[in-house]
PDB file of all heavy atoms in Angstrom:
ATOM      1  N   LEU A 572      21.352  53.292 -10.766  1.00 96.00           N
ATOM      2  CA  LEU A 572      21.326  52.072  -9.974  1.00 96.00           C
ATOM      3  C   LEU A 572      20.525  51.103 -10.802  1.00 96.00           C
ATOM      4  O   LEU A 572      19.569  51.401 -11.423  1.00 96.00           O
ATOM      5  CB  LEU A 572      20.559  52.367  -8.627  1.00 96.00           C
ATOM      6  CG  LEU A 572      21.201  53.348  -7.736  1.00 96.00           C
ATOM      7  CD1 LEU A 572      20.329  53.603  -6.508  1.00 96.00           C
ATOM      8  CD2 LEU A 572      22.490  52.779  -7.180  1.00 96.00           C
ATOM      9  N   ASN A 573      20.962  49.820 -10.674  1.00 96.00           N
ATOM     10  CA  ASN A 573      20.364  48.673 -11.421  1.00 96.00           C
ATOM     11  C   ASN A 573      20.311  47.475 -10.491  1.00 96.00           C
ATOM     12  O   ASN A 573      21.381  46.971 -10.292  1.00 96.00           O
ATOM     13  CB  ASN A 573      20.971  48.556 -12.800  1.00 96.00           C
ATOM     14  CG  ASN A 573      20.127  47.503 -13.674  1.00 96.00           C
ATOM     15  OD1 ASN A 573      19.500  46.668 -13.233  1.00 96.00           O
ATOM     16  ND2 ASN A 573      20.236  47.798 -14.955  1.00 96.00           N
ATOM     17  N   ALA A 574      19.093  46.933 -10.166  1.00 93.00           N
ATOM     18  CA  ALA A 574      19.013  45.790  -9.268  1.00 93.00           C
ATOM     19  C   ALA A 574      19.520  44.599  -9.998  1.00 93.00           C
ATOM     20  O   ALA A 574      19.919  43.535  -9.289  1.00 93.00           O
ATOM     21  CB  ALA A 574      17.623  45.603  -8.848  1.00 93.00           C
ATOM     22  N   ASP A 575      19.568  44.526 -11.351  1.00 92.00           N
ATOM     23  CA  ASP A 575      20.092  43.336 -12.110  1.00 92.00           C
ATOM     24  C   ASP A 575      21.542  43.471 -12.413  1.00 92.00           C
ATOM     25  O   ASP A 575      22.202  42.650 -12.979  1.00 92.00           O
ATOM     26  CB  ASP A 575      19.343  43.276 -13.417  1.00 92.00           C
ATOM     27  CG  ASP A 575      17.802  42.875 -13.204  1.00 92.00           C
ATOM     28  OD1 ASP A 575      17.617  42.122 -12.242  1.00 92.00           O
ATOM     29  OD2 ASP A 575      16.998  43.464 -13.958  1.00 92.00           O
ATOM     30  N   GLY A 576      22.165  44.553 -11.879  1.00 94.00           N
ATOM     31  CA  GLY A 576      23.594  44.894 -12.214  1.00 94.00           C
ATOM     32  C   GLY A 576      23.782  45.830 -13.300  1.00 94.00           C
ATOM     33  O   GLY A 576      23.011  45.855 -14.333  1.00 94.00           O
ATOM     34  N   VAL A 577      24.703  46.761 -13.142  1.00 95.00           N
ATOM     35  CA  VAL A 577      24.933  47.815 -14.139  1.00 95.00           C
ATOM     36  C   VAL A 577      25.675  47.116 -15.350  1.00 95.00           C
ATOM     37  O   VAL A 577      26.644  46.354 -15.198  1.00 95.00           O
ATOM     38  CB  VAL A 577      25.902  48.775 -13.596  1.00 95.00           C
ATOM     39  CG1 VAL A 577      26.430  49.855 -14.746  1.00 95.00           C
ATOM     40  CG2 VAL A 577      25.230  49.653 -12.467  1.00 95.00           C
ATOM     41  N   PRO A 578      25.109  47.304 -16.490  1.00 95.00           N
ATOM     42  CA  PRO A 578      25.677  46.709 -17.721  1.00 95.00           C
ATOM     43  C   PRO A 578      27.052  47.267 -18.038  1.00 95.00           C
ATOM     44  O   PRO A 578      27.171  48.508 -18.088  1.00 95.00           O
ATOM     45  CB  PRO A 578      24.684  46.937 -18.889  1.00 95.00           C
ATOM     46  CG  PRO A 578      23.926  48.179 -18.325  1.00 95.00           C
ATOM     47  CD  PRO A 578      23.870  48.120 -16.812  1.00 95.00           C
ATOM     48  N   PHE A 579      28.075  46.434 -18.153  1.00 94.00           N
ATOM     49  CA  PHE A 579      29.427  46.936 -18.339  1.00 94.00           C
ATOM     50  C   PHE A 579      29.570  47.700 -19.667  1.00 94.00           C
ATOM     51  O   PHE A 579      30.376  48.613 -19.790  1.00 94.00           O
ATOM     52  CB  PHE A 579      30.403  45.771 -18.293  1.00 94.00           C
ATOM     53  CG  PHE A 579      30.539  45.169 -16.951  1.00 94.00           C
ATOM     54  CD1 PHE A 579      30.243  43.860 -16.658  1.00 94.00           C
ATOM     55  CD2 PHE A 579      30.950  45.864 -15.908  1.00 94.00           C
ATOM     56  CE1 PHE A 579      30.323  43.220 -15.457  1.00 94.00           C
ATOM     57  CE2 PHE A 579      31.169  45.309 -14.588  1.00 94.00           C
ATOM     58  CZ  PHE A 579      30.833  44.018 -14.379  1.00 94.00           C
ATOM     59  N   ASP A 580      28.798  47.282 -20.716  1.00 91.00           N
ATOM     60  CA  ASP A 580      28.968  47.835 -21.937  1.00 91.00           C
ATOM     61  C   ASP A 580      28.190  49.147 -22.223  1.00 91.00           C
ATOM     62  O   ASP A 580      28.619  49.958 -23.142  1.00 91.00           O
ATOM     63  CB  ASP A 580      28.559  46.734 -23.051  1.00 91.00           C
ATOM     64  CG  ASP A 580      29.515  45.580 -23.074  1.00 91.00           C
ATOM     65  OD1 ASP A 580      30.704  45.779 -22.802  1.00 91.00           O
ATOM     66  OD2 ASP A 580      29.097  44.464 -23.215  1.00 91.00           O
ATOM     67  N   SER A 581      27.087  49.248 -21.450  1.00 93.00           N
ATOM     68  CA  SER A 581      26.287  50.482 -21.850  1.00 93.00           C
ATOM     69  C   SER A 581      25.982  51.278 -20.621  1.00 93.00           C
ATOM     70  O   SER A 581      25.039  52.073 -20.660  1.00 93.00           O
ATOM     71  CB  SER A 581      24.854  49.956 -22.393  1.00 93.00           C
ATOM     72  OG  SER A 581      24.236  49.042 -21.457  1.00 93.00           O
ATOM     73  N   TRP A 582      26.781  51.299 -19.612  1.00 95.00           N
ATOM     74  CA  TRP A 582      26.565  52.051 -18.352  1.00 95.00           C
ATOM     75  C   TRP A 582      26.602  53.545 -18.628  1.00 95.00           C
ATOM     76  O   TRP A 582      25.878  54.245 -17.970  1.00 95.00           O
ATOM     77  CB  TRP A 582      27.617  51.708 -17.303  1.00 95.00           C
ATOM     78  CG  TRP A 582      29.041  52.107 -17.623  1.00 95.00           C
ATOM     79  CD1 TRP A 582      29.945  51.313 -18.252  1.00 95.00           C
ATOM     80  CD2 TRP A 582      29.630  53.322 -17.379  1.00 95.00           C
ATOM     81  NE1 TRP A 582      31.100  52.021 -18.458  1.00 95.00           N
ATOM     82  CE2 TRP A 582      31.005  53.255 -17.948  1.00 95.00           C
ATOM     83  CE3 TRP A 582      29.301  54.496 -16.856  1.00 95.00           C
ATOM     84  CZ2 TRP A 582      31.882  54.272 -17.925  1.00 95.00           C
ATOM     85  CZ3 TRP A 582      30.119  55.568 -16.838  1.00 95.00           C
ATOM     86  CH2 TRP A 582      31.430  55.433 -17.370  1.00 95.00           C
ATOM     87  N   HIS A 583      27.462  53.955 -19.551  1.00 93.00           N
ATOM     88  CA  HIS A 583      27.704  55.437 -19.788  1.00 93.00           C
ATOM     89  C   HIS A 583      26.364  56.069 -20.283  1.00 93.00           C
ATOM     90  O   HIS A 583      25.905  57.149 -19.813  1.00 93.00           O
ATOM     91  CB  HIS A 583      28.766  55.625 -20.747  1.00 93.00           C
ATOM     92  CG  HIS A 583      29.279  57.082 -20.897  1.00 93.00           C
ATOM     93  ND1 HIS A 583      28.599  57.947 -21.741  1.00 93.00           N
ATOM     94  CD2 HIS A 583      30.119  57.799 -20.224  1.00 93.00           C
ATOM     95  CE1 HIS A 583      29.104  59.141 -21.596  1.00 93.00           C
ATOM     96  NE2 HIS A 583      30.066  59.125 -20.712  1.00 93.00           N
ATOM     97  N   GLY A 584      25.762  55.428 -21.217  1.00 93.00           N
ATOM     98  CA  GLY A 584      24.434  55.897 -21.737  1.00 93.00           C
ATOM     99  C   GLY A 584      23.348  55.926 -20.735  1.00 93.00           C
ATOM    100  O   GLY A 584      22.493  56.796 -20.612  1.00 93.00           O
ATOM    101  N   GLU A 585      23.294  54.835 -19.911  1.00 94.00           N
ATOM    102  CA  GLU A 585      22.344  54.664 -18.933  1.00 94.00           C
ATOM    103  C   GLU A 585      22.497  55.806 -17.834  1.00 94.00           C
ATOM    104  O   GLU A 585      21.551  56.394 -17.411  1.00 94.00           O
ATOM    105  CB  GLU A 585      22.375  53.336 -18.191  1.00 94.00           C
ATOM    106  CG  GLU A 585      22.081  52.141 -19.189  1.00 94.00           C
ATOM    107  CD  GLU A 585      20.600  52.007 -19.477  1.00 94.00           C
ATOM    108  OE1 GLU A 585      19.709  52.827 -18.905  1.00 94.00           O
ATOM    109  OE2 GLU A 585      20.282  51.258 -20.354  1.00 94.00           O
ATOM    110  N   LEU A 586      23.758  56.056 -17.541  1.00 95.00           N
ATOM    111  CA  LEU A 586      24.069  57.156 -16.583  1.00 95.00           C
ATOM    112  C   LEU A 586      23.637  58.562 -16.993  1.00 95.00           C
ATOM    113  O   LEU A 586      23.125  59.328 -16.347  1.00 95.00           O
ATOM    114  CB  LEU A 586      25.487  57.157 -16.124  1.00 95.00           C
ATOM    115  CG  LEU A 586      26.124  58.155 -15.208  1.00 95.00           C
ATOM    116  CD1 LEU A 586      25.279  57.931 -13.798  1.00 95.00           C
ATOM    117  CD2 LEU A 586      27.497  58.154 -14.961  1.00 95.00           C
TER     118      LEU A 586
END
Side-chain angles (χ1 to χ4, degrees):
L572 299 172
N573 190 328
D575 296 323
V577 171
F579 292 118
D580 297 325
S581 59
W582 65 267
H583 190 271
E585 298 287 352
L586 179 62

